[in-house]
Amino acid sequence: MKEINLKIAGMHCSSCAFNIEKSLSQLDGVKDVSVNYASEKASLKYNPEKIDLDKLKQSVKKVGYQVISEEDEENNKSKKENNWSLIRVSLATILTLPLLLIMFGLEMNPWLQHHLSFIVVFILGYNFHKNAFLLIKKGQTNMDTLISLGTLSAYFFSLWALLNNQHLYFESAATITTLILLGKYLESRGKQKASQAIKKLLELKAETARVIEGDKSKDVKIEEVKVGQIILVKPGEKIPLDGKVISGTSTVDQSMLTGESLPLNLEPGKKVFGATINLDGTLSIEVSKNSQDSTLSQIIKVVEETQKFKAPMQKLADKISSVFVPIIIAIALITAISLFFVSGSISMAIIRAVTILVIACPCALGLATPLAIMVGTGIGAKQGILIKNGESFELAKNIDTVIFDKTGTLTTGKISVQKILSHFDSNIDKNQILKIAQSLAINSNHPLSQALSNYQAETTLPLASIINFKEEPGLGIFGQCQDHKNTLYLGNKKLMAKHNISDEWLKEIEETETGKNILFVAQDKKIIGAITLKDEIKGKAQETIEKIKGLGLKTLLLSGDNKSATQEVANKLKLNDFKAELMPAEKLQVISDLQSQGKKIIFIGDGINDAPALVKADLGIAMGSGTDIAKESGQIIIINSQVEKIYSAIKLSKKTFKIIKQNLFWAFIYNIITIPLAIFGLVSPMIAAVAMSLSSVSVVANSLRLYKVSK
């Protein structure tokens, strides 16, 4: 199966999206179809052996819409469509104004009224009628059906009235068309602003890279640069691709990619990311990822995937819209027939039906959720917060407990060796203890092991070769010395207990070395020493915790580290509670127990060691280093691991869901209030058209309000 995204032109409401979905889903060889009205995209999987792209396009065209598959064509089409929309609105307004002046006493030849109305309704409003006709042929309906039926009813009734010297309603047909064209134009402009996130991310990409070949360099398109090649980046230039600095020093502005305001100092060995700006030094960089796999490309892919995702509330709105139009047509017919029998006035009956058809268009309902999700994910991407799943916004609504991992989340993760302690009953000196510990640690990727491996002692001893190495998550590591066949252990007291290594000295060291990570070193079932390490709390961690608690959320720290180290962090940050010395399975159990009590959990961890907990929690936030982002287990990723972004992510999720609820409320309340008013004749067709257009524009404006409330 091949996966594809198609740009769809001509959609007016969520019923349009539903009809396109239905048309594509019925094709043999097509599955997993999802059409997003706000982003105007269809995503699907299809079997190229059973169906080709042309047939997919034809299926969309048969229900009145157009597929734009090429990016350049899409951009040109979008500009042309916007220009044509503005021209249509302008012409319709010019032609309709004279008809409106009739209401204020202006006399106008009835046939001139007809001609002006005809141009507006049939020429400038042609798309409404065309789409409605194509859908009726397939037994389907959408917003265009309501508009077409309403305006054509008013027009043809007025034409009949003209031939029979009755009162005319040409101005109603023309005004309805003009107001709806204006509403669609304003809505389109708002949707474009909401979808700017992807465009701006794409604009961040560099177009070329300066590749070094021997003693020369040449500019190459970034798509042609291969992993392992060396590129040269001068001061003030954009770094084209992800890589590692091999020579030169500089400061780099990563704000456009990670949201981090301060530039970073880079030197040989440091990682760099494409689309960031090299400020003041010349760098030689070895490319580690090609254009398609770069961090920026992964971010763009995740944001695109999120924006086409349909949250449960959106699916409900789509279902309602799909059955709403036929119901409204039935209500309009029943009302018109009933009124005609009661009053005997065919003009009154038709105008009442027209008002119902126009005022009931479900545009706002279809925009409510996807537009807010588009804006929310765009804001997040700009701030260095990657929201991978639109459902995250709904998941955040009832959260009452925030659980943190410690190392790398609330602390810097830059752990340093504090002390090397020798057992009082051991003849092995501190340098030898360090050698044994480092011989084991070099085989592990755990932060504590890496800190120990990187520690430079005054006396450098050769490391031992380890065989039968094994790592036990949450406990430590062990293996055999290849030369002496001794079994060596490095880990916490739980590891020692599991391997029946006991010593009162363990308790004594824990009591004297509070607030530190303690790794005990053992050789052949006997404790020979210990190494203490410490990790500093991140600078803005305390401020972040205070803000999170200010939202009324409980905070909890879960860590595999010893109790004293965990307690010290919990106390300094004033967390509500903490649990220490937990294995990964025990972290899961804590989360499960809280969920069984009805608690809604956010878990925040490093995205790798804490992957099970991130998945188990109601909402997982992963602290990412900016690499392998798409593979993280959290629904939300803090790209550059900035602790203050945790609060921003929670706040943005809650604000976005609040906007979604407001949008849905106004969309539903609009129809609930206005349809009865239309049934009982308390609004005119023109007022109905104004109200319908304003309902969609209000949803767009409310969604864009996220830009202000998220600051």
Side-chain angles (χ1 to χ4, degrees):
M1 299 295 285
K2 186 177 180 180
E3 190 170 350
I4 191 172
N5 290 320
L6 302 173
K7 179 75 175 178
I8 309 291
M11 285 196 287
H12 302 300
C13 65
S14 58
S15 293
C16 299
F18 179 82
N19 289 326
I20 295 169
E21 269 187 23
K22 188 175 180 181
S23 179
L24 289 170
S25 298
Q26 291 172 348
L27 298 173
D28 186 30
V30 175
K31 69 173 187 176
D32 297 339
V33 182
S34 176
V35 180
N36 189 311
Y37 167 45
S39 63
E40 298 179 328
K41 285 185 179 180
S43 62
L44 55 94
K45 293 178 181 177
Y46 73 99
N47 187 342
E49 295 179 2
K50 291 185 177 181
I51 190 168
D52 58 21
L53 185 58
D54 287 337
K55 288 185 180 178
L56 296 175
K57 291 181 178 180
Q58 288 171 12
S59 176
V60 173
K61 193 172 183 179
K62 282 180 181 177
V63 287
Y65 310 95
Q66 189 174 354
V67 173
I68 309 164
S69 55
E70 297 295 329
E71 186 177 334
D72 292 338
E73 184 185 349
E74 174 186 328
N75 291 334
N76 292 333
K77 179 74 178 179
S78 179
K79 289 176 183 177
K80 289 178 182 177
E81 181 61 31
N82 284 334
N83 292 336
W84 176 230
S85 294
L86 183 58
I87 292 170
R88 275 201 306 257
V89 170
S90 301
L91 287 174
T93 303
I94 292 168
L95 296 174
T96 302
L97 279 174
L99 294 172
L100 287 175
L101 293 176
I102 296 172
M103 299 168 59
F104 298 96
L106 176 70
E107 292 187 8
M108 183 182 292
N109 182 283
W111 282 107
L112 180 57
Q113 294 181 45
H114 167 268
H115 298 334
L116 292 174
S117 176
F118 180 87
I119 294 171
V120 174
V121 172
F122 286 94
I123 298 177
L124 300 177
Y126 168 74
N127 283 338
F128 297 132
H129 312 302
K130 182 195 75 173
N131 292 341
F133 175 73
L134 290 171
L135 284 170
I136 287 171
K137 281 173 59 179
K138 294 179 71 70
Q140 299 172 9
T141 58
N142 71 347
M143 189 200 84
D144 289 335
T145 311
L146 297 182
I147 294 171
S148 182
L149 284 174
T151 54
L152 291 180
S153 298
Y155 168 80
F156 283 112
F157 173 74
S158 296
L159 182 59
W160 173 84
L162 174 62
L163 298 173
N164 290 276
N165 296 315
Q166 301 288 324
H167 184 72
L168 306 179
Y169 293 96
F170 284 122
E171 78 279 0
S172 294
T175 304
I176 289 168
T177 303
T178 300
L179 288 170
I180 291 171
L181 286 172
L182 176 61
K184 290 289 106 187
Y185 173 71
L186 294 174
E187 178 188 307
S188 177
R189 290 290 300 272
K191 282 162 62 180
Q192 275 191 336
K193 185 175 180 181
S195 63
Q196 286 298 303
I198 295 292
K199 184 179 286 186
K200 287 183 177 179
L201 285 171
L202 288 168
E203 288 172 356
L204 290 177
K205 282 189 172 183
E207 294 182 0
T208 61
R210 189 179 294 106
V211 177
I212 299 173
E213 294 180 349
D215 57 352
K216 297 181 179 180
S217 65
K218 66 175 182 178
D219 290 341
V220 177
K221 289 183 179 181
I222 62 167
E223 292 82 8
E224 298 174 7
V225 179
K226 298 176 181 178
V227 173
Q229 286 188 302
I230 308 300
I231 57 176
L232 185 70
V233 184
K234 296 180 180 180
E237 292 183 341
K238 187 177 288 185
I239 295 174
L241 295 162
D242 295 9
K244 182 175 71 174
V245 177
I246 58 172
S247 68
T249 59
S250 182
T251 53
V252 174
D253 178 5
Q254 294 188 342
S255 59
M256 70 288 295
L257 187 62
T258 65
E260 185 174 357
S261 56
L262 295 175
L264 298 179
N265 295 319
L266 292 185
E267 56 189 22
K270 295 286 187 179
K271 292 180 180 179
V272 294
F273 305 109
T276 57
I277 305 297
N278 180 31
L279 296 178
D280 55 17
T282 300
L283 297 174
S284 292
I285 298 167
E286 182 181 349
V287 176
S288 61
K289 290 188 176 180
N290 59 31
S291 177
Q292 292 77 24
D293 296 330
S294 69
T295 298
L296 179 61
S297 294
Q298 290 182 40
I299 291 172
I300 292 170
K301 183 179 179 181
V302 171
V303 174
E304 284 179 330
E305 289 293 316
T306 302
Q307 291 190 348
K308 75 182 183 183
F309 171 83
K310 287 197 175 182
M313 291 185 76
Q314 183 183 344
K315 291 177 181 177
L316 175 63
D318 286 352
K319 286 180 180 178
I320 292 171
S321 294
S322 68
V323 299
F324 193 72
V325 175
I327 291 172
I328 291 303
I329 293 172
I331 291 173
L333 286 172
I334 292 168
T335 301
I337 293 168
S338 302
L339 188 60
F340 174 72
F341 280 115
V342 171
S343 66
S345 171
I346 189 171
S347 62
M348 189 182 295
I350 289 175
I351 292 303
R352 191 75 58 85
V354 168
T355 306
I356 294 169
L357 290 171
V358 171
I359 208 165
C361 292
C363 307
L365 191 60
L367 275 174
T369 300
L371 201 63
I373 288 176
M374 284 176 67
V375 175
T377 52
I379 291 170
K382 189 176 180 181
Q383 294 181 351
I385 301 164
L386 194 56
I387 299 166
K388 292 170 56 181
N389 192 321
E391 195 174 12
S392 301
F393 300 120
E394 290 193 42
L395 294 171
K397 63 180 178 178
N398 295 322
I399 293 298
D400 51 36
T401 305
V402 182
I403 299 178
F404 298 90
D405 174 51
K406 182 172 73 68
T407 305
T409 302
L410 295 176
T411 63
T412 62
K414 296 177 181 177
I415 304 164
S416 57
V417 173
Q418 300 288 309
K419 291 182 183 179
I420 301 170
L421 305 169
S422 179
H423 192 281
F424 62 87
D425 193 28
S426 172
N427 295 323
I428 301 176
D429 65 21
K430 293 179 181 180
N431 286 331
Q432 187 68 19
I433 291 169
L434 178 63
K435 173 194 168 180
I436 292 171
Q438 287 184 322
S439 298
L440 287 166
I442 200 171
N443 297 284
S444 169
N445 288 322
H446 191 279
L448 293 177
S449 296
Q450 290 182 336
L452 194 52
S453 299
N454 296 332
Y455 178 69
Q456 299 293 320
E458 292 181 6
T459 304
T460 304
L461 295 173
L463 300 182
S465 297
I466 302 296
I467 59 174
N468 300 324
F469 175 82
K470 188 173 182 182
E471 186 162 4
E472 297 194 17
L475 299 179
I477 52 183
F478 62 94
Q480 278 186 306
C481 173
Q482 189 172 27
D483 295 332
H484 304 291
K485 305 303 180 186
N486 295 329
T487 303
L488 308 174
Y489 302 86
L490 176 68
N492 57 28
K493 66 178 184 180
K494 281 190 175 182
L495 178 74
M496 303 302 149
K498 182 175 181 179
H499 291 274
N500 300 315
I501 304 171
S502 60
D503 196 308
E504 286 296 318
W505 189 69
L506 275 68
K507 186 176 180 181
E508 181 184 324
I509 294 300
E510 283 195 327
E511 290 174 353
T512 56
E513 300 295 330
T514 57
K516 298 176 184 177
N517 294 285
I518 305 172
L519 295 178
F520 294 102
V521 184
Q523 179 177 286
D524 283 342
K525 304 291 185 179
K526 182 179 180 182
I527 299 290
I528 59 173
I531 299 172
T532 65
L533 305 95
K534 194 169 184 179
D535 184 9
E536 297 298 324
I537 294 172
K538 288 183 178 179
K540 294 186 178 180
Q542 188 165 353
E543 178 187 346
T544 301
I545 299 298
E546 288 175 1
K547 287 182 177 179
I548 290 172
K549 291 171 74 175
L551 295 174
L553 304 174
K554 297 290 184 183
T555 55
L556 174 63
L557 178 63
L558 301 183
S559 179
D561 289 339
N562 64 73
K563 183 177 179 181
S564 60
T566 305
Q567 185 173 16
E568 183 182 36
V569 172
N571 290 343
K572 281 187 177 180
L573 297 179
K574 298 180 181 178
L575 294 159
N576 294 115
D577 198 3
F578 75 93
K579 294 184 184 295
E581 301 177 1
L582 297 177
M583 303 255 314
E586 292 173 317
K587 287 185 180 181
L588 281 180
Q589 190 59 50
V590 171
I591 294 171
S592 296
D593 291 344
L594 288 170
Q595 288 174 329
S596 67
Q597 298 168 22
K599 301 292 184 183
K600 298 296 181 181
I601 308 293
I602 288 179
F603 181 83
I604 304 153
D606 65 9
I608 300 172
N609 296 333
D610 295 305
L614 285 164
V615 174
K616 179 65 178 174
D618 297 281
L619 179 61
I621 299 181
M623 305 295 282
S625 63
T627 58
D628 297 325
I629 289 171
K631 298 178 183 177
E632 297 284 1
S633 301
Q635 291 103 320
I636 298 176
I637 299 163
I638 309 300
I639 295 173
N640 212 38
S641 298
Q642 293 172 287
V643 68
E644 62 269 27
K645 298 295 184 183
I646 296 171
Y647 169 75
S648 299
I650 295 172
K651 182 183 175 185
L652 178 61
S653 297
K654 285 181 170 288
K655 289 286 185 184
T656 303
F657 187 75
K658 187 177 180 180
I659 292 290
I660 291 172
K661 286 198 298 183
Q662 290 171 355
N663 286 351
L664 288 170
F665 170 79
W666 289 114
F668 276 115
I669 205 72
Y670 159 79
N671 282 314
I672 290 170
I673 292 173
T674 56
I675 291 173
L677 292 178
I679 290 172
F680 292 104
L682 299 177
V683 290
S684 69
M686 284 176 283
I687 297 298
V690 171
M692 190 278 287
S693 297
L694 287 179
S695 68
S696 295
V697 174
S698 67
V699 165
V700 172
N702 193 47
S703 298
L704 294 177
R705 201 166 58 85
L706 261 173
Y707 285 110
K708 291 184 178 180
V709 300
S710 64
K711 290 181 180 178

